[in-house]
Amino acid sequence: LFTIVVGYTAYHYAAEGMSQKFTESTQQTTNMTMNYLDMNLSYIQAEGFRYASDSAYENYFLGMMNKDKAGRATFINNTKVTLLASQKANNFIENIHFITRSGTPIISTASSTQEIDGNYEVYFEEMVAQSADGKTPDRWIDSHPMLDEHMALPLEDYFITYQMPTINKFAYIVMDIRESAVQAILADLDLGNGSITGFVTKTGKEVVSEILEEGQTSHFTEGEIVFADKDFYADALASEELSGAMDVTFKGVEYLYLYNKSEVCDITLCALIPMDMITG
């Protein structure tokens, strides 16, 4: 009887201490992962501001080149080369779009040689409608359906988008963040067999990765919501802390839940780690 009591007590304290140490070290790992994403998102913000405040583009946005078709075509080609260089320099940039007013062609890394007429007015209305305050478009958004339709853009290629108006508000600078680049960050974040990680936006859009051993099958069906509709995610989101940890039950199994909030935009890095893996 005493041997059993001593064994149980020793196991209990050992498991508790191991869990605490594991949590601390894993939080450092997830903090670095979130910092890495934030660093790239900050770079994209700076790029967007550079284009939005560049006076060299203002004449084009104001429509002052529309009468000179040859000069306008040369300007569009030269600008597209500049945007393509920025796109190639950063793997997180899926596409860059200059959304112009009607009558002035859109400049985009996604467009072919054909000219696509600007739809700034329609785009602005859509962004106002889905904004937080219903007045001013948010800088970070999950999608832009009307632009996707207007330019035949595949929605699944980008995860989030950064946007901002130009100085005179005659155009919008729109920069899409490549979903595969965000997915690659999660793929590199190996927190042990059975662990589940994901980036979740404020509206519930998710990119999720699951670590499985050979022969194991996923817990999820394609398109299933993993984090966004769970109480533990909502509790973490409501917390004023940028990061934290808690024990949770998920699909009938005990997990350690870790979260880290972005300091750049409304994205949360979430991780679920099976408790039996921690104390195995």
Side-chain angles (χ1 to χ4, degrees), residues 11 14-27 191-195 245-248 253-258 271-280:
Y11 175 84
E16 191 176 70
M18 189 178 295
S19 178
Q20 183 178 350
K21 290 292 184 184
F22 182 89
T23 300
E24 291 172 358
S25 63
T26 307
Q27 276 189 311
L191 301 181
N193 182 50
S195 63
M246 61 185 78
D247 296 339
V248 301
V253 179
E254 290 185 348
Y255 283 84
L256 172 65
Y257 173 63
L258 301 169
L272 284 167
I273 306 167
M275 291 299 296
D276 60 1
M277 192 278 295
I278 298 172
T279 57

Side-chain angles (χ1 to χ4, degrees), residues 151-213:
M151 297 187 64
L153 301 173
L155 176 63
E156 64 274 8
D157 285 352
Y158 67 93
F159 179 50
I160 54 172
T161 295
Y162 179 72
Q163 61 176 6
M164 68 178 299
T166 57
I167 296 172
N168 293 321
K169 298 184 178 179
F170 265 74
Y172 243 85
I173 310 300
V174 178
M175 305 181 71
D176 295 330
I177 312 305
R178 182 172 288 132
E179 181 164 315
S180 61
V182 177
Q183 184 77 55
I185 297 177
L186 296 177
D188 290 337
L189 185 61
D190 187 348
L191 301 181
N193 182 50
S195 63
I196 307 157
T197 55
F199 286 110
V200 188
T201 70
K202 63 179 179 181
T203 60
K205 188 175 183 181
E206 297 182 339
V207 169
V208 177
S209 177
E210 186 178 9
I211 303 296
L212 298 172
E213 289 184 344

Side-chain angles (χ1 to χ4, degrees), residues 75-122:
F75 178 84
I76 291 173
N77 288 333
N78 291 340
T79 302
K80 191 176 291 187
V81 168
T82 300
L83 299 184
L84 285 169
S86 292
Q87 181 190 35
K88 293 296 182 184
N90 190 319
N91 187 50
F92 282 82
I93 299 176
E94 174 64 28
N95 277 305
I96 305 173
H97 318 283
F98 289 174
I99 310 302
T100 52
R101 291 178 180 267
S102 180
T104 302
I106 289 173
I107 302 178
S108 171
T109 56
S111 65
S112 60
T113 53
Q114 66 177 359
E115 292 188 350
I116 301 176
D117 190 33
N119 67 336
Y120 173 91
E121 298 84 356
V122 175

